[in-house]
Amino acid sequence: MTTTETATRRSRRTALIGAIFLMATSAIGPGFITQTTTFTAKLGAAFAFGILMSILVDFVVQMNIWRIISVSGKRAHEIANAVVPGAGYLLAFLVILGGLVFNIGNVAGSGLGLNAVLGLNPKIGGLISAVTAISIFLVKRAGMAMDRLLIGLGLVMIALTLYVAIVSQPPVGDALTQTILPEHVDFAAITTIIGGTVGGYITYSGAHRLLDSGTTGPEHIREVTRGALSGIAVTGLMRYLLFLAILGVVAGGVALDTSGNATAQAFRSAAGEFGQRAFGVVLWAAAITSVIGAAYTSVSFFTAFSARMNEPRLRSWGTVGFIAVTTVIYLLIGTAPAALLVFAGGFNGLILPIGLTILLYAAWRRRELLRGYRYPVWLLVLGVLVAGLTWYMGVVSARTIFDYLAG
């Protein structure tokens, strides 16, 4: 094997691991951390069932999306336009809009994280974090720099959350039991978690990163499948560890104030001053990786409106501009309004069934788009079932989501 081939293989492996962590860290942002704390304080060990449901839906969605996009060698909106002319433009617009709104909350979360760690003013912390994220896309090898940062911060998040989960001494046996047999099922909580962790730009983050790295075609299906499974495992691990960390505090009798910063309170109760700092690091890492994920993935949909955005340098500058715009909005409004963040999470949940349905149709009826690849029937059936579930949840909750924004 030549030096060039070795370098290419190493670069592709790094990109695959980066795609895994891009998907995982995009799914674990400030919104997810807040939601997990709120629902764990409300439901206790029974919320373990909600975590399991979100992971199962994540499995079906990501296994289908990664496979369809990587085998076809086309971005989601390109497939959508090929299936239903004009549908790709609609999907791109919705993903970009959802990512833009949600990223305001991500920048706000990064500011709160640095406030918890260093005592910085949240606005200054948000600005510093945005500049850090922007610098990633200004270096010559932006893709590799992004992959390495995502991997490093993802591992830090897991390690710190694991520590707090251990010292908080959660009732693991009860949690495992209620993961399968919950005392109470809260469908609103499950819907919120699914929408906030699988919807919108998050659905396409890892798959589009693979596409940009050149990991496309049926010949790469094995490593794509392995990558998707690894990403789901990393996401699931972080979700469950965070749940256990909060559960230990709640089970210990601490009444969390969910109207304030309940997660910081939980980490502080479990591990004292170190817990407070650990929370800040976890929140900052979750926020800045979500800033990068939201910007990178949203800008990958810009190519629907301009073919020139396929050029790496223009894409990098587009990503810089995306982060800059959301940061300016955050600095102007001071904080991301709760109604706006709830709407953004719900809106991303509404986007999920649109893109998923179109891509599943391509796998079912448009084999030429998948280069003749014979799609697994079992995966297609599971995808249709989940698409039906997300359509149902979307129809039931759409009015509430938009009414909340108006209020």
Side-chain angles (χ1 to χ4, degrees):
M1 185 178 294
T2 66
T3 304
T4 302
E5 290 174 333
T6 302
T8 300
R9 177 169 293 186
R10 187 181 297 115
S11 176
R12 185 167 290 167
R13 188 185 303 117
T14 301
L16 179 61
I17 298 173
I20 291 169
F21 278 89
L22 180 62
M23 180 187 84
T25 54
S26 292
I28 305 168
F32 172 77
I33 291 174
T34 301
Q35 290 166 1
T36 299
T37 303
T38 300
F39 293 133
T40 303
K42 176 184 177 183
L43 303 172
F47 186 53
F49 179 73
I51 298 292
L52 174 63
M53 288 299 295
S54 74
I55 293 172
L56 292 177
V57 170
D58 197 10
F59 166 80
V60 175
V61 171
Q62 297 293 0
M63 284 292 287
N64 276 290
I65 296 297
W66 278 47
R67 187 177 295 250
I68 293 169
I69 289 178
S70 64
V71 170
S72 69
K74 299 178 183 297
R75 294 189 176 91
H77 56 273
E78 294 170 336
I79 298 174
N81 273 334
V83 172
V84 182
Y89 299 117
L90 174 62
L91 180 63
F93 173 76
L94 293 175
V95 169
I96 293 169
L97 179 61
L100 186 71
V101 176
F102 216 73
N103 219 30
I104 299 170
N106 292 333
V107 175
S110 68
L112 291 175
L114 288 185
N115 173 261
V117 178
L118 303 173
L120 289 177
N121 180 294
K123 280 191 175 184
I124 296 175
L127 181 60
I128 291 173
S129 301
V131 171
T132 301
I134 285 173
S135 66
I136 296 297
F137 296 97
L138 293 180
V139 300
K140 188 173 182 180
R141 304 184 72 178
M144 183 172 290
M146 179 182 71
D147 292 336
R148 289 176 175 172
L149 180 67
L150 291 170
I151 294 168
L153 290 179
L155 293 175
V156 168
M157 288 167 61
I158 292 173
L160 289 175
T161 308
L162 173 62
Y163 172 78
V164 177
I166 292 173
V167 299
S168 71
Q169 299 181 322
V172 177
D174 188 24
L176 290 176
T177 299
Q178 297 208 50
T179 300
I180 307 298
L181 299 170
E183 293 177 354
H184 174 69
V185 177
D186 188 327
F187 286 105
I190 295 172
T191 301
T192 302
I193 285 292
I194 289 175
T197 59
V198 194
Y201 71 89
I202 300 168
T203 309
Y204 310 103
S205 56
H208 279 199
R209 178 67 193 109
L210 275 186
L211 208 62
D212 290 339
S213 71
T215 310
T216 62
E219 66 273 17
H220 292 294
I221 196 64
R222 182 171 295 180
E223 61 184 299
V224 168
T225 300
R226 189 164 56 244
L229 288 172
S230 299
I232 294 162
V234 171
T235 307
L237 175 63
M238 183 60 190
R239 290 177 189 175
Y240 210 79
L241 286 178
L242 181 62
F243 159 70
L244 288 176
I246 306 302
L247 179 63
V249 173
V250 172
V254 176
L256 297 179
D257 178 14
T258 54
S259 64
N261 197 337
T263 314
Q265 181 188 351
F267 272 54
R268 187 168 54 249
S269 298
E273 181 66 22
F274 177 79
Q276 170 78 19
R277 306 295 180 187
F279 160 74
V281 173
V282 169
L283 180 61
W284 181 79
I288 195 168
T289 51
S290 293
V291 167
I292 292 170
Y296 174 85
T297 310
S298 297
V299 170
S300 72
F301 280 85
F302 282 13
T303 57
F305 307 104
S306 173
R308 290 191 61 199
M309 290 303 295
N310 281 306
E311 298 175 21
R313 290 308 297 169
L314 283 179
R315 284 269 302 282
S316 291
W317 280 110
T319 308
V320 167
F322 191 91
I323 297 173
V325 168
T326 53
T327 303
V328 169
I329 294 174
Y330 162 66
L331 293 175
L332 290 176
I333 65 177
T335 184
L340 186 64
L341 290 179
V342 171
F343 170 75
F347 187 70
N348 280 335
L350 297 178
I351 296 171
L352 174 59
I354 298 173
L356 180 60
T357 300
I358 294 173
L359 265 64
L360 287 173
Y361 180 81
W364 177 42
R365 302 293 295 176
R366 297 293 299 274
R367 286 187 60 188
E368 77 279 6
L369 293 175
L370 272 63
R371 308 181 189 184
Y373 172 70
R374 187 177 295 278
Y375 206 80
V377 175
W378 67 270
L379 191 56
L380 189 59
V381 170
L382 286 178
V384 170
L385 291 175
V386 167
L389 174 65
T390 55
W391 273 113
Y392 171 76
M393 292 191 301
V395 170
V396 169
S397 60
R399 184 171 181 177
T400 302
I401 290 170
F402 282 95
D403 284 348
Y404 193 84
L405 179 64

